[in-house]
């Protein structure tokens, strides 16, 4: 709300009854504040001003300022505390914790997405939809943002911690904070940081030491590199980390084993070179050129990184991607040019270079990505595409063609069964044209079953292909889908293909949407996570309009090419069941 500069309409002092009314309103809105707290927040002998402002979106907001700092602001007759107030009373609101890099996005106007929420061992605070909440960063209990919960705690957990969690109203470093003295958040130790048994704590710490520990400076832990590098903004300006925060605990446990190696420039150089040559030899193709260097990094180099490791160019001896590519250009492996001022692109690659030709990808177990909702079962049940068979039901009008073979109305037949029965019927009734065996005579039964009324007097012969096509078109369509290890399922109608579309959003941005994944046994949230990691762009799942219990995947940018590769190459979905592949951005073409 206060991400951009606002306009001040008026600034007046509050006195007498207005001051008492404000104190009563604050006490009513925040009953946990005691009389002493209110007296400390609004000293009777100090001036209290009310400032009326308009935000950049046109909202009229009333701000209450005490000692040059905004303490409360009022919107639609609701009072909200500022971060200055929350620093004095950090437990005034239920608080959700996130990572420090997310704060920059929140201050820029983004909302907090649930994947960016760190779930403590004690669990999330109990809130209802519409509850006023605070946001803190890992390692410090001082709130850095204020917002409203978009769903209850139970709904958050039921959603698998996906979707928007908190609508942010005000943050540290936004324009409302700038309106005050611009002080930084105090360091307040978390209430629970790797808690030891109570007996041990009481024996080791004196009451004085406990008090000191609450107010001493607390250094914020570094965000795991995978979290830090993959934070993104969605089209609507919401923060979505590319990787789940569930990995944080595992990364903490592995710090002793892997931390030193990942920080070593030599090791990082080796990993960077491995991913670079892997991308050139096995991922990139000539039609992909010219290619933005940033796109090469996101879509080609990062996906080649071995599982459990992360390329961090800043920790290599090169420090910057441009310097690394410049070195590769000096070795005549590729050529980089500025096709647009300040924007570098890879324009040529020498695939015959000895370094590329001699590179061999590390031997790993090739496994098909698993699309199951329960991650604990993922290793035992890799995804296999279903077997889909088109079926054709016998309608009342078509029954005369099939009754001689013992079939009845409603029986389901495969295309080969229908073809065999029609051929037998034609030959049994000697309907093949003796002069041209490519044609079949139309007898009364064929006329009633396959011809339109307007054709009765004109059509006396049909080609074999036309005969079979008309027959299939006039039957009742169904399909049978069989998943490995499951009984066949028969449904009416043709199966809907996986539909890929590209929609335009504000500011000339695009979003790729994928629907009907559930029909093929895929979990949309798993597909979203895989794409998110592969293309380094934010991906979310939203309800599919007009379809009950169905969702669609939305991913930032035109990602049709990457979606097609994932579905067809990795998950072996037949191309005929994937629509929208023609919407992919043509490589090398400038708009």
């Amino acid at each position: 709300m206060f991400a951009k500069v606002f306009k001040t309409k008026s600034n007046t002092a509050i006195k007498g009854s207005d001051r008492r009314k404000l104190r009563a309103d604050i006490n009513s809105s925040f009953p946990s504040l005691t009389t002493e707290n209110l007296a400390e927040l609004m000293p009777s002998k100090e001036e209290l001003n009310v400032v009326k402002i308009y935000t950049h979106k046109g909202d009229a907001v009333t701000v209450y300022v005490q000692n040059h700092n905004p303490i409360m602001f009022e919107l639609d007759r609701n009072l909200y505390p500022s971060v200055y107030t929350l620093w004095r009373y950090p437990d005034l609101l239920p608080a959700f914790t996130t990572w420090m890099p997310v704060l920059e996005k929140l201050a820029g106007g983004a909302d907090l997405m649930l994947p960016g929420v760190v779930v403590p061992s004690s669990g999330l605070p109990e809130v209802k939809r519409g509850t006023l909440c605070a946001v803190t960063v890992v390692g410090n209990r001082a709130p850095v943002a204020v917002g409203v919960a978009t769903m209850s705690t139970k709904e958050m957990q039921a959603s698998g911690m996906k979707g928007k969690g908190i609508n942010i109203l005000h943050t540290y470093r936004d324009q409302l904070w700038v309106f005050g003295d611009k002080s930084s958040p105090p360091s307040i130790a978390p209430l629970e940081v790797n808690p030891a048994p109570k007996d041990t704590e009481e024996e080791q710490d004196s009451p004085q030491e406990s008090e000191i520990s609450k107010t001493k400076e607390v250094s914020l832990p570094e965000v795991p590199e995978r979290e830090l590098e993959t934070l993104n903004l969605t089209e609507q300006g919401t923060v979505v980390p590319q990787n789940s925060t569930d990995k944080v605990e595992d990364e903490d446990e592995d710090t002793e084993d892997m931390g030193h190696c990942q920080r070593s420039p030599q090791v990082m150089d080796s990993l960077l070179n491995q991913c670079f040559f892997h991308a050139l030899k096995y991922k990139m193709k000539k039609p992909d050129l010219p290619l933005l260097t940033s796109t090469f990094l996101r879509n080609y180099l990062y996906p080649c990184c071995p599982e459990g490791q992360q390329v961090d160019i800043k920790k290599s001896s090169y420090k910057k991607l441009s310097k690394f590519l410049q070195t590769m250009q000096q070795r005549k492996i590729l050529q980089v040019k500025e096709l647009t001022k300040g924007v570098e692109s890879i324009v040529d690659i020498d695939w015959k270079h000895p370094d590329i030709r001699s590179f061999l990808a590390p031997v790993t177990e090739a496994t098909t990505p698993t699309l199951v909702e329960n991650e604990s079962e993922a290793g035992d049940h890799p995804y296999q595409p279903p077997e889909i068979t088109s079926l054709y039901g016998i309608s009342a009008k078509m029954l005369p063609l099939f009754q001689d073979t013992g079939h009845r109305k409603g029986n389901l037949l495969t295309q080969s069964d229908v073809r065999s029965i029609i051929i037998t019927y034609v030959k049994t009734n000697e309907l093949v044209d003796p002069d041209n065996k490519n044609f079949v005579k139309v007898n009364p039964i064929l006329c009633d079953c396959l011809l339109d009324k307007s054709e009765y007097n004109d059509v006396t012969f049909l080609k074999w292909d036309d005969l079979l096509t008309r027959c299939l078109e006039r039957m009742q369509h169904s399909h049978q889908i069989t998943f490995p290890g499951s009984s066949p399922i028969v449904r009416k109608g043709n199966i809907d293909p996986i539909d890929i579309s590209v929609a335009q959003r504000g500011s000339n941005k695009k979003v790729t949407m994928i629907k009907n994944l559930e029909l093929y046994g895929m979990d949309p949230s798993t597909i979203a996570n895989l794409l998110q990691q592969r293309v380094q762009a934010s991906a979310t799942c939203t309800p599919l309009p007009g379809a009950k219990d169905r969702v669609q995947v939305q991913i930032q940018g035109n990602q049709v090419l990457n979606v097609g590769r994932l579905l067809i190459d990795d998950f072996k979905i037949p191309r005929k069941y994937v629509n929208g592949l023609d919407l992919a951005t043509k490589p090398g073409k400038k708009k």
Side-chain angles (χ1 to χ4, degrees):
M1 176 181 291
F2 302 105
K4 297 182 180 179
V5 178
F6 51 74
K7 295 181 180 180
T8 303
K9 181 181 178 183
S10 62
N11 187 341
T12 56
I14 301 180
K15 296 181 181 179
S17 60
D18 291 337
R19 193 185 189 103
R20 290 190 293 272
K21 181 179 182 305
L22 175 61
R23 179 175 296 186
D25 290 342
I26 295 176
N27 189 29
S28 175
S29 300
F30 308 101
S32 61
L33 289 176
T34 63
T35 304
E36 292 76 13
N37 294 147
L38 292 173
E40 181 185 14
L41 182 65
M42 301 170 53
S44 56
K45 294 184 179 181
E46 292 186 10
E47 184 177 353
L48 177 65
N49 289 353
V50 55
V51 181
K52 295 187 181 294
I53 64 173
Y54 288 110
T55 67
H56 68 284
K57 291 184 177 180
D59 296 321
V61 181
T62 301
V63 181
Y64 298 98
V65 180
Q66 175 76 45
N67 197 22
H68 305 295
N69 279 339
I71 58 172
M72 292 278 171
F73 62 95
E74 185 176 353
L75 176 66
D76 297 331
R77 297 186 178 180
N78 292 317
L79 281 172
Y80 303 95
S82 70
V83 290
Y84 292 106
T85 297
L86 291 177
W87 293 340
R88 300 169 72 175
Y89 311 105
D91 300 321
L92 183 62
L93 303 176
F96 290 81
T97 304
T98 188
W99 298 107
M100 178 62 87
V102 178
L103 176 59
E104 297 178 13
K105 308 298 183 182
L106 301 183
D111 292 319
L112 180 61
M113 298 294 285
L114 290 177
V117 174
V118 178
V119 182
S121 58
S122 58
L124 296 172
E126 289 294 330
V127 299
K128 297 180 181 179
R129 182 180 300 183
T131 299
L132 188 60
C133 303
V135 178
T136 64
V137 295
V138 173
N140 192 351
R141 199 155 51 92
V144 293
V146 182
V148 178
T150 61
M151 58 181 82
S152 66
T153 303
K154 291 183 179 179
E155 290 173 332
M156 293 179 186
Q157 295 168 341
S159 71
M161 295 303 289
K162 292 180 174 62
K164 185 186 294 186
I166 299 177
N167 282 325
I168 300 299
L169 299 175
H170 159 52
T171 69
Y172 162 60
R173 301 190 72 85
D174 69 5
Q175 294 301 312
L176 185 61
W177 170 82
V178 171
F179 196 76
D181 61 14
K182 303 180 185 179
S183 56
S184 299
S187 294
I188 306 176
L191 291 176
E192 185 175 318
V193 180
N194 297 328
K198 293 183 179 180
D199 295 340
T200 306
E201 286 290 328
E202 291 174 0
E203 290 175 6
Q204 293 181 351
D205 295 337
S206 67
Q208 292 179 349
E209 290 173 336
S210 299
E211 282 298 313
I212 294 173
S213 67
K214 291 182 181 179
T215 56
K216 67 182 180 180
E217 277 197 31
V218 180
S219 60
L220 295 179
E222 291 186 1
V223 183
E225 288 300 322
R226 188 177 293 270
E227 292 285 345
L228 178 59
E229 290 186 358
T230 55
L231 289 169
N232 251 327
L233 282 177
T234 64
E235 299 288 345
Q236 292 79 17
T238 51
V239 176
V240 181
Q242 301 295 347
N243 296 332
S244 172
T245 55
D246 294 338
K247 297 183 180 178
V248 173
E249 294 180 4
D250 295 337
E251 292 182 9
D252 289 339
E253 294 174 359
D254 294 338
T255 299
E256 293 182 3
D257 298 331
M258 299 178 60
H260 177 72
C261 293
Q262 288 183 344
R263 285 192 291 268
S264 169
Q266 292 78 14
V267 174
M268 188 56 66
D269 286 354
S270 176
L271 179 61
L272 179 58
N273 277 274
Q274 174 188 319
C275 297
F276 172 75
F277 286 109
H278 192 157
L280 294 190
K281 186 169 182 177
Y282 298 103
K283 294 287 185 181
M284 288 199 65
K285 298 177 182 178
K286 193 170 183 178
D288 295 336
L289 301 176
L291 183 71
L292 292 175
T293 56
S294 57
T295 303
F296 168 73
L297 182 67
R298 287 197 313 269
N299 297 355
Y300 294 87
L301 193 147
Y302 280 156
C304 293
C305 190
E307 186 176 356
Q309 299 185 54
Q310 179 68 35
V311 173
D312 186 353
I313 297 179
K314 291 182 179 179
K315 291 186 177 180
S316 70
S317 61
Y318 301 98
K319 303 301 181 185
K320 295 182 179 180
L321 177 63
S322 58
K323 186 176 179 181
F324 172 74
L325 294 178
Q326 184 181 1
T327 303
M328 295 299 138
Q329 183 168 250
Q330 291 171 354
R331 292 168 58 181
K332 299 183 179 180
I333 294 174
L334 50 69
Q335 187 177 1
V336 178
K337 285 185 178 180
E338 278 193 12
L339 298 181
T340 306
K341 186 176 181 180
V343 180
E344 292 186 335
S345 298
I346 299 174
V347 296
D348 190 30
I349 297 173
D350 182 9
W351 276 282
K352 294 182 180 180
H353 193 282
D355 290 348
I356 297 179
R357 297 182 67 177
S358 62
F359 176 79
L360 294 176
V363 178
T364 57
E365 293 185 4
T367 56
T368 303
T370 302
L371 292 188
V372 292
E373 295 186 15
N374 188 350
E375 293 182 0
S376 64
E377 300 177 357
D380 300 331
H381 303 283
Y383 176 81
Q384 297 179 20
E387 181 182 343
I388 303 170
T389 306
S390 296
L391 299 177
Y392 302 87
I394 301 174
S395 62
K397 185 176 181 179
M398 297 293 292
L399 184 58
L401 275 175
F402 297 90
Q403 58 188 4
D404 290 345
T405 57
H407 290 93
R408 297 182 180 181
K409 176 185 174 182
N411 287 167
L412 296 175
L413 305 171
T414 64
Q415 183 173 339
S416 60
D417 292 337
V418 174
R419 182 184 181 89
S420 177
I421 293 171
I422 294 300
I423 291 175
T424 302
Y425 176 85
V426 170
K427 291 183 177 180
T428 302
N429 291 276
E430 299 180 350
L431 299 177
V432 179
D433 184 8
D435 298 328
N436 188 343
K437 294 187 178 181
N438 291 326
F439 287 87
V440 176
K441 296 178 185 178
V442 177
N443 67 357
I445 291 180
L446 290 177
C447 179
D448 291 339
C449 293
L450 304 181
L451 298 185
D452 297 329
K453 289 183 179 181
S454 60
E455 298 176 319
Y456 283 176
N457 297 325
D458 300 328
V459 179
T460 56
F461 291 92
L462 289 173
K463 286 185 176 181
W464 276 106
D465 289 344
D466 191 16
L467 176 70
L468 294 170
T469 301
R470 286 173 180 251
C471 185
L472 293 174
E473 287 176 349
R474 283 162 173 76
M475 299 182 74
Q476 297 170 343
H477 291 208
S478 299
H479 68 274
Q480 175 181 287
I481 184 167
T482 307
F483 293 97
S486 303
S487 302
I489 302 172
V490 177
R491 299 188 180 115
K492 292 183 178 180
N494 295 319
I495 187 170
D496 292 330
I498 297 175
D499 185 73
I500 306 172
S501 59
V502 178
Q504 194 83 15
R505 292 291 187 258
S507 302
N508 199 30
K509 294 182 180 179
K510 294 181 179 179
V511 61
T512 302
M513 297 180 291
I514 315 153
K515 61 183 180 181
N516 300 331
L517 293 169
E518 300 96 333
L519 300 179
Y520 296 81
M522 297 183 181
D523 177 27
S525 61
T526 305
I527 287 289
N529 289 336
L530 289 172
L531 287 170
Q532 185 169 272
Q533 295 172 14
R534 176 169 293 193
V535 305
Q536 299 294 301
S538 60
T540 58
C541 293
T542 59
L544 184 63
K548 187 178 180 181
D549 300 328
R550 297 260 294 278
V551 299
Q552 64 181 357
V553 174
Q554 292 189 12
I555 184 164
Q556 192 176 20
N558 186 330
Q559 305 294 349
V560 175
L561 183 62
N562 291 300
V563 174
R565 286 175 177 172
L566 179 69
L567 297 176
I568 297 173
D569 297 341
D570 294 352
F571 295 110
K572 309 304 179 185
I573 299 296
R575 184 178 290 269
K576 65 179 179 180
Y577 294 122
V578 182
N579 276 359
L581 295 174
D582 57 319
L583 299 175
T585 303
K586 301 298 185 293
K589 290 191 177 181
K590 302 290 181 182
K591 291 186 177 180

